[in-house]
Structures are given as structure tokens and as C-alpha cells.
Amino acid sequence: MNPGYAGGLLIGLAASAMLAAGLAIMKSRSEVLPAAQGTAFLRAIVRWICDSAWVGGLSLETAGYVLYFAALAEAPVSLVAVMMQGGIAVFVVIAIFVLHERANATEAAGIVGIILAMVLLALSLGSVPPHGQLNSFALGVLSALTLLGTAILCSSNRLRRNGAAPAIASGVAFGLSSLYTKALADIFAAHSGSAIAIQTAASPWLYLMIGTNLGGLVLLQNSFHWTRGIVAMPLSSAISNLVPIVGGIMAFDEHLPVDPTSAALRIAAFTLTLLSGVLVAGAEVTHKDDRADLVA
């Protein structure tokens, strides 16, 4: 592996742990904070930012995102996405032992599958994709198609009823944000001094990154309100990692490994992530149902 990539991937692993811890804090406040929807959208957002614990989780998230940005400047987006899946395991541990959440057999199988997919991806790192040049047109087309597909998928009554829809949508938003962040990181790497600020301010990727990050944050917090974090976070995170991996291939020319074994492992990991995501998203038990079971 390129030694320079190794440092970026370690930074990405640290970022994933910080992001997971921040999300766990934000999830812990979902019982007392309202969902942001309809005419009460702005009122709910104000409640969130006035809650000191929630803001503390958001601050940890922000610090983790800074590290994530640094990782993207050192390594390909598709490989950094692999390291970010480590946060899934961290969050699941916190959800079980700190938040006292539980998963049914189907959900547990999906969560284990997502974590196993992370391991398969890590095993495929022996063949590292090169840094590719951004294809802005391809990234624009990918963004439009991804958003359209998400809107169609999340229109499913079942996904809305079990709380999976906002988790899926948040994963797509965060995944697209990763691609826009990678485009910005390349600007930082290619310029110096005042040129960085000028090029960044003139780039549409900056504003798309901000918009998708904020949208993903609201959607994920809403999913925390409607379903358990042990379900919502792995589902969101798995999708948020799939999007940049596919986008890295389509928009940054990050090809699959030449080595057949590494390529097979990576394809198997993609497939397992998708199938495991279906298991988690297909769960019928919601957060409110879970609380009712606990009371009973």
C-alpha cells in the first residue's frame, strides 16, 4: 500500500470513532427532542441547538468531520469510506452497553453483515486505486440519479412507517457530501495560500457539501426520533459509505483492484452491504414499538 495512504486511512479511522461517539450523544437526546418536520421544522431545530448535550455531540461530530477532510486529502475517497465503516461497530457497542438498545434477529444479522462487509473491504486494500481526476459532469449526473432513486425508494409506506426512510435518505446525503468534500480536498491539495480560499469560495462543491451535510444531519436526527439508533446508524452509515465508493469509481476514476482476489473481496463487500442494508431496512419494529415493549 502507498505509505501516504496509510496515514490518511488511520486519520479516517479516528474520524469514524469520533463521528460515532458524537452520533451516540445526539441519539441519547432523541427521547426529549422533537422531530424536525412540517410547520414545526424551525421550532424543532431551535430546540436541538438549545440543548447543551445535543450541541456537545454535534461538536464532536464537527471535530470528526475535520479529521475526515484531512483523510480525504491523503487517500482515495473509496478507501477512506472503508475506514469510516469502523464507526458502525463503535456505535453499535455504545448503543448496546450505554443506550441499552436491542436488535431482533433479522436486524442483528443485517448489522453483523455490514460489519463483516467492512472487514472484507479492509482485506481488499492490498491493491489501492490511484488518485483520479474529478469528472464534474459524471459527479453531477450521479448526484441527480442518486437523489431521484432515493426519493422513489423512500416513498415506500413500509420504509416511512418503520423509520428507515429518513435513515436511508441521510446516508445518501452524507455519501454525496463525501464526494463533494473529496472534490474540495483536491482543491486544497492543488493550491496554496490565498488561492485556496478563492478557489474554494468559487466552487459549487462547497455549497453542495454544506447543504448535504445539514440535510443529512436533520434526516438522521429524525430517524433517531422514530427508530432505534442501533438500526438507524448502521443503515445510514452503510449507505453513506456505498455512495462514495461507487462515486469514486464513476467520478474520480478510482477503478476496482487489478488483482482478482482483491477485486472479488471488494465486490463481495459491496454486495453484502446492500443485502445487509435490506435486512436492517426491512425490520418492522420501530423505536416507539420498542419503548412500548420495554414498558410492557
Side-chain angles (χ1 to χ4, degrees):
M1 183 189 299
N2 186 317
Y5 290 168
L9 295 179
L10 287 175
I11 295 173
L13 186 61
S16 71
M18 294 181 68
L19 289 168
L23 286 176
I25 295 173
M26 295 164 72
K27 166 59 184 173
S28 71
R29 304 301 298 158
S30 63
E31 297 286 339
V32 296
L33 295 177
Q37 58 181 338
T39 57
F41 181 88
L42 291 179
R43 195 158 54 246
I45 298 296
V46 171
R47 285 277 304 277
W48 296 359
I49 62 179
C50 288
D51 187 275
S52 58
W54 189 88
V55 171
L58 180 62
S59 300
L60 194 56
E61 282 278 290
T62 303
Y65 194 80
V66 171
L67 289 182
Y68 176 56
F69 189 88
L72 286 176
E74 298 291 334
V77 63
S78 57
L79 294 190
V80 175
V82 176
M83 294 298 100
M84 298 306 290
Q85 290 203 46
I88 299 175
V90 174
F91 186 93
V92 168
V93 171
I94 294 174
I96 293 173
F97 293 102
V98 179
L99 302 180
H100 306 294
E101 294 186 346
R102 64 182 185 230
N104 62 36
T106 302
E107 294 164 346
I111 293 167
V112 170
I114 289 171
I115 295 174
L116 178 59
M118 176 195 67
V119 175
L120 293 178
L121 280 168
L123 292 175
S124 74
L125 293 183
S127 181
V128 182
H131 270 298
Q133 293 297 316
L134 168 64
N135 184 329
S136 298
F137 177 77
L139 181 52
V141 171
L142 174 66
S143 299
L145 292 177
T146 301
L147 291 173
L148 177 61
T150 303
I152 294 173
L153 180 64
C154 291
S155 65
S156 163
N157 287 331
R158 174 170 178 161
L159 293 180
R160 291 202 307 270
R161 188 170 59 248
N162 67 10
I168 292 172
S170 71
V172 170
F174 286 135
L176 289 175
S177 177
S178 295
L179 293 173
Y180 305 145
T181 302
K182 174 59 178 174
L184 285 176
D186 286 351
I187 292 177
F188 272 68
H191 298 84
S192 61
S194 60
I196 293 178
I198 295 172
Q199 292 294 326
T200 299
S203 172
W205 310 125
L206 172 65
Y207 308 103
L208 287 170
M209 180 196 72
I210 294 173
T212 49
N213 258 323
L214 292 177
L217 178 66
V218 171
L219 287 165
L220 186 56
Q221 184 65 33
N222 278 350
S223 73
F224 284 161
H225 181 79
W226 288 315
T227 193
R228 286 152 295 146
I230 200 172
V231 170
M233 193 277 182
L235 182 58
S236 175
S237 185
I239 294 172
S240 72
N241 289 325
L242 278 180
V243 171
I245 289 170
V246 174
I249 294 172
M250 292 182 61
F252 290 92
D253 199 28
E254 297 178 1
H255 301 294
L256 286 172
V258 177
D259 173 56
T261 301
S262 296
L265 285 171
R266 199 161 297 179
I267 293 171
F270 298 165
T271 304
L272 183 57
T273 301
L274 286 172
L275 294 177
S276 299
V278 170
L279 287 178
V280 175
E284 288 287 358
V285 181
T286 66
H287 184 49
K288 290 185 174 64
D289 291 337
D290 193 42
R291 280 185 291 172
D293 292 341
L294 289 175
V295 172

